[in-house]
Amino acid sequence: MQELFTHLINQAYRVYQGKLIPEIIKPVNISYYLEFGGFELSYNWYGRTRIAKELIGKLKIYRKTIHVDIRFAYYLANLTSFDNNYQQDYNLNRLIHTLAHEVAHCVISDYGLLLTEEHSEAHEKLTEELENFLWNTPEVQELSKLQRDNKKLKKLSK
């Protein structure tokens, strides 16, 4: 699953790099690869982006890492818990939105814009575009199909 998410975020990032502010020929904080940092438990966010800068002499290398809440992994694995209400908030729709939202942060940060300005109208529009892009990828369509099939099997086993 880790590879799938790494592939998806990089696919979306590459398609949308340079589209936010096309008149800027060379964005200032560009990264050539996004890392999927995995699943972490959080009570404050569905996903987050961490941006780091490494200096090598005068060269700046930017690293952008996306994490998502572990409850998305529970949902994908169809795990149950004492609180099965988590599946209302942690589902495939929210996961795809969260990935799009975090990739939008990465694209915006290419231009040196502060993450505190992240939830602007431009960010919302970019998130929506990225979300539509992701839903139309064969990878997300296959993931959606697997989730539907998994739910059918679970119902049959009851």
Side-chain angles (χ1 to χ4, degrees), residues 37-156:
F39 299 94
E40 295 183 7
L41 181 60
S42 174
Y43 293 102
N44 298 319
W45 43 262
Y46 292 106
R48 72 170 174 202
T49 298
R50 295 216 166 161
I51 299 172
K53 176 177 67 174
E54 182 73 32
L55 287 175
I56 302 170
K58 294 181 181 179
L59 181 65
K60 295 176 187 173
I61 307 279
Y62 291 92
R63 189 171 92 211
K64 299 172 184 180
T65 307
I66 293 174
H67 298 88
V68 295
D69 193 294
I70 187 85
R71 287 170 280 199
F72 287 119
Y74 299 161
Y75 169 80
L76 292 170
N78 208 14
L79 297 176
T80 56
S81 73
F82 295 115
D83 178 19
N84 283 330
N85 289 334
Y86 79 89
Q87 292 189 359
Q88 292 174 356
D89 289 330
Y90 295 87
N91 54 48
L92 191 58
N93 288 333
R94 172 61 79 172
L95 174 61
I96 299 307
H97 175 79
T98 300
L99 291 174
H101 181 93
E102 298 309 323
V103 171
H105 286 311
C106 294
V107 171
I108 288 171
S109 73
D110 283 352
Y111 298 94
L113 303 176
L114 298 175
L115 288 179
T116 55
E117 300 168 358
E118 65 202 36
H119 297 119
S120 65
E121 197 172 309
H123 178 269
E124 300 286 327
K125 184 177 183 294
L126 183 58
T127 297
E128 187 177 319
E129 287 180 29
L130 283 159
E131 191 171 354
N132 289 332
F133 172 83
L134 289 170
W135 275 112
N136 287 301
T137 63
E139 296 85 356
V140 171
Q141 290 176 11
E142 182 66 16
L143 187 57
S144 182
K145 179 188 173 299
L146 291 170
Q147 289 300 300
R148 283 192 308 274
D149 292 349
N150 196 10
K151 284 181 183 178
K152 287 178 190 174
L153 285 174
K154 189 171 182 180
K155 284 180 183 178
L156 291 175

